[in-house]
Amino acid sequence: MTDTPVFLRSKVIVEPLVDRFYAWLHTVAPIQAAMNLAYLQVPMLESYVQSPQVHIAASDNPALRGGYFVNIGAERSAEVKELLETIKRERADMLRLAAAVAEAQELLRANATGFDLTPLYPKLPPELGGLVELAYDTDNQASVRFIEPLAYASQAYVESRQSVQLSLEPGTERPFILSTPRLPGPDVLELPIPFRHPGLEELFRARTTASSLGRLREALELDDAQAVRLGTLLSDRPSLSEDRHVEAGGRIRYFGHACLVLQTPEAAIVTDPFISADSSAGDRYTLDDLPDRIDLALITHGHQDHIVLETLLQLRGRVGAIVVPRPSRGNLEDPSMALMLRHMGFPVIEVDDFEEVPFPGGKVVATPFLGEHCDLDIRGKSTYWVELAGRTAYVGADSSGIDPQLYRHVRNHLGTAHYAFLGMECDGAPLTWLYQALLTKPVTRKMSKSRKLSGSNAEQAAAIMTELGANEAYVYAMGEESWLGHVMATTYNEDTYQLKQVDEFLTWCADHGIKAGHLFGQQEWRW
């Protein structure tokens, strides 16, 4: 039986975890992970242990959706308490590192007055020894620059924190990823292995190529009980879509959120891969619709809904390279996506503005990305220009039209796009929602709300189209898909400001002879 050909079922959910919290850039990159552990996750678990019912009630309140509340029933509070105690005991070095970062930044605030910074190095906490450089900008504003490659080689990067949890699509919304740890359960397979483990590549290859239970058991180093659980996640036949490849011309498919798959017979490109596993839904493209081989996966920026590790891990061994924007090199708020992905075993190409990446029959050009990051000094963000099969697509992600002249430069440099894909989440979450753990100096609520994770409003999107001159415009769904609730935690109705702005933009497009649409579910373009 262990040699029978099997495939990984299409409805398998993959959740990469770090100390049982859902993994994303800020919980994997070493310095940022320490800060999130110390100043977000531990306090949140302490709050839950003190008052589980408060968290449970808040999790059930639609008005508080997306808040930092632990959505675990009180009957399992002892397990949460045990997790908290384990983190405090086994991650003490990381907690001290986070405190050291805060101490170093306070040292600069108190002593960096424009004069020589050399005397401050001996005063830095020992946890930061050799890992940082102190520097001024030309306005004499001092900051700590982290030497990230060394952080990955230090005790700050602990692979034993990593694990993967596999289960079957439940048909219900999963708990919000930024707040609720994933506990063990009878219906999940726990894989206590790092994300780079070669067995994961073997497992996910079984979506397209037959394997066997015995082979997968050996690759993943499973015991008897784990092997039995894995067997429930396997099928004797693949569930791949027959039309997942194209025989001629070009095709773009919308897979939801900001995910596009652009294909010709020679190549396939996927943008911000975030793909449903629920092949029975019928209203979306899923993992079954992906081409067997992907030349490039384009990542626009480091937010948890755009560099989605639960999808990316399933593409390792299937993707030629992941293209990511080059960060600022050492800013606390701007960790390197390339470093993180390379430590997970991915081939990575790092690009700056207007650098080109060829692929068979076409090319990708990295283009600038404005705004959407709460005015933080983050360079790790990029839009993309994709040329294939004689047409061009501008992949705008959440880039904002705050300075429309940028898009005039893009047009002058690259020409006119046939398709423009734009993000219009124009009233996004405030600064502290995503970056609170990295802020060692408190900000006021008013300040936080003035700096939002916002894309373009109607006026800004219209300005982008005016300057870009694209023939067609399409607005991404803004977390409206029900299957994305565990990541997006957004709630809209017909009176929501963002949807009204989208309608206003679509009206503007109609008045100016531009074909346009608000994407939802699935859509396809062929030529």
Side-chain angles (χ1 to χ4, degrees), residues 185-191 213 217 221-233:
D187 298 325
V188 299
L189 172 60
E190 301 281 345
L191 299 177
L213 179 57
R217 174 178 180 167
E221 305 172 74
L222 304 183
D223 61 25
D224 290 346
Q226 289 174 311
V228 170
R229 174 56 58 193
L230 176 61
T232 67
L233 306 179

Side-chain angles (χ1 to χ4, degrees), residues 262 269 271 296 298-300 323-325 349-359 362-369 381-388 391-396 409-415:
L262 305 95
I269 309 296
T271 72
L296 300 172
L298 311 180
I299 304 298
T300 60
V323 179
V324 298
I349 299 172
E350 198 174 56
V351 293
D352 212 334
D353 294 337
F354 293 106
E355 290 186 346
E356 297 184 5
V357 180
F359 61 86
K363 68 177 181 180
V364 169
V365 183
T367 44
F369 184 134
K381 54 184 181 179
S382 180
T383 58
Y384 294 99
W385 180 277
V386 184
E387 297 183 7
L388 78 169
R391 293 200 181 182
T392 55
Y394 175 71
V395 180
H409 287 299
V410 172
R411 181 180 184 180
N412 290 341
H413 191 79
L414 296 171

Side-chain angles (χ1 to χ4, degrees), residues 416-432:
T416 300
H418 293 90
Y419 311 100
F421 296 92
L422 307 176
M424 287 187 64
E425 172 48 86
C426 49
D427 188 22
L431 165 67
T432 53

Side-chain angles (χ1 to χ4, degrees), residues 13-50:
I13 296 293
V14 179
E15 294 206 312
L17 308 179
V18 180
D19 281 335
R20 297 215 158 269
F21 281 92
Y22 191 97
W24 70 289
L25 179 61
H26 285 194
T27 63
V28 177
I31 305 298
Q32 295 74 17
M35 300 295 284
N36 272 272
L37 190 67
Y39 299 119
L40 175 63
Q41 292 167 343
V42 165
M44 188 166 53
L45 294 179
E46 288 175 333
S47 173
Y48 173 88
V49 169
Q50 184 176 4

Side-chain angles (χ1 to χ4, degrees), residues 182 306 358 451 461:
R182 279 23 178 183
H306 291 265
R451 295 165 56 184

Side-chain angles (χ1 to χ4, degrees), residues 187-243:
D187 298 325
V188 299
L189 172 60
E190 301 281 345
L191 299 177
I193 55 178
F195 301 148
R196 63 173 174 82
H197 195 287
L200 290 174
E201 192 168 318
E202 182 75 22
L203 174 66
F204 298 130
R205 187 181 295 118
R207 285 197 184 276
T208 58
T209 304
S211 186
S212 68
L213 179 57
R215 183 174 177 178
L216 292 174
R217 174 178 180 167
E218 181 179 359
L220 293 167
E221 305 172 74
L222 304 183
D223 61 25
D224 290 346
Q226 289 174 311
V228 170
R229 174 56 58 193
L230 176 61
T232 67
L233 306 179
L234 303 175
S235 171
D236 60 358
R237 61 178 63 88
S239 56
L240 302 172
S241 300
E242 293 183 0
D243 64 347

Side-chain angles (χ1 to χ4, degrees), residues 151-185:
Y152 275 93
S154 75
Q155 294 182 349
Y157 186 63
V158 184
E159 281 194 336
S160 61
R161 303 181 69 212
Q162 300 174 7
S163 64
V164 177
Q165 194 175 84
L166 305 178
S167 59
L168 288 174
E169 165 62 49
T172 57
E173 184 175 312
R174 289 182 265 167
F176 180 47
I177 63 168
L178 298 182
S179 65
T180 301
R182 279 23 178 183
L183 300 179

